[in-house]
Amino acid sequence: MNTDQASPEDLTALRAAFAVDDGGESALGWEAVHAFETEHGVVLPEPYRTFVAEMTDGSFQGPPEFGLVGLAELPDDWEDEGRDRDPAEPFPLTEAWLWEDDDRPQEEIEPLLERVRDHGSIVLGTDGCAMYWHLVVTGPHRGHIWTITDVGAAPFGAEFGYTTAEPGFAGWVGHWAAGKPWFDAESA
């Protein structure tokens, strides 16, 4: 997974997956992508960066179930409880965490949970039922997709288990475009 340069193969696959969208009319353009990056102190990982600049900024068709939200947007069911998102702060996790089963006191869990939800990532969309997909933009997992729910968080990609998909945005989209369930490793 190369997060600094988009491969031609990944871009071709992304164009094919979103061929029924608006033909690039909603793409942000490079000037808007650079402005977002400057404003938030991040450089978006490839191929997502090229995707929003040249192909589309969001998609009604997915992924996930309720569509891919635009770069500066949040899903309609997002509850921020007054918290500020900060993509420039490093994403705090490198392995799955099920906070529902964490024995630490709630006052220790809550600050970390807020950082997981609000730091180092952009939200790609929701599958509903408090299940959100994030693209990590800063920290050791930069370029990886994470699912963050009301009970825990887990990285997406075959190297982490749960799925047979390639990691990163292109692997996540490719898995969706192939019609595979997100967590297909359990049944594989």
Side-chain angles (χ1 to χ4, degrees), residues 4-166:
D4 295 322
Q5 188 168 6
S7 77
E9 297 82 16
D10 285 348
L11 295 177
T12 298
L14 289 170
R15 282 186 180 91
F18 292 92
V20 299
D21 265 15
D22 61 16
E25 289 181 31
S26 69
L28 292 178
W30 285 105
E31 187 175 318
V33 169
H34 293 156
F36 176 89
E37 291 174 332
T38 299
E39 178 183 346
H40 295 284
V42 299
V43 174
L44 297 171
E46 288 290 358
Y48 180 78
R49 185 177 198 232
T50 298
F51 176 78
V52 295
E54 297 180 0
M55 293 178 217
T56 187
D57 181 34
S59 172
F60 64 91
Q61 65 177 351
E65 180 70 25
F66 294 100
L68 185 66
V69 298
L71 173 60
E73 298 173 14
L74 292 168
D76 290 339
D77 65 344
W78 184 262
E79 295 180 19
D80 68 3
E81 301 168 13
R83 299 183 316 260
D84 290 325
R85 294 192 44 74
D86 189 351
E89 282 293 317
F91 185 75
L93 299 179
T94 57
E95 60 185 41
W97 177 36
L98 188 61
W99 47 80
E100 184 176 73
D101 291 343
D102 197 314
D103 292 332
R104 290 180 284 182
Q106 191 64 29
E107 57 271 6
E108 285 182 34
I109 292 174
E110 195 57 40
L112 180 56
L113 178 55
E114 285 184 20
R115 289 194 306 273
V116 169
R117 289 182 177 147
D118 296 325
H119 290 177
S121 70
I122 58 167
V123 181
L124 297 173
T126 181
D127 274 321
C129 298
M131 181 179 177
Y132 300 96
W133 293 95
H134 292 240
L135 172 63
V136 176
V137 296
T138 52
H141 266 233
R142 182 178 183 271
H144 286 280
I145 303 291
W146 278 68
T147 181
I148 301 175
T149 71
D150 56 342
V151 298
F156 182 81
E159 65 194 88
F160 307 110
Y162 318 113
T163 185
T164 59
E166 293 296 317

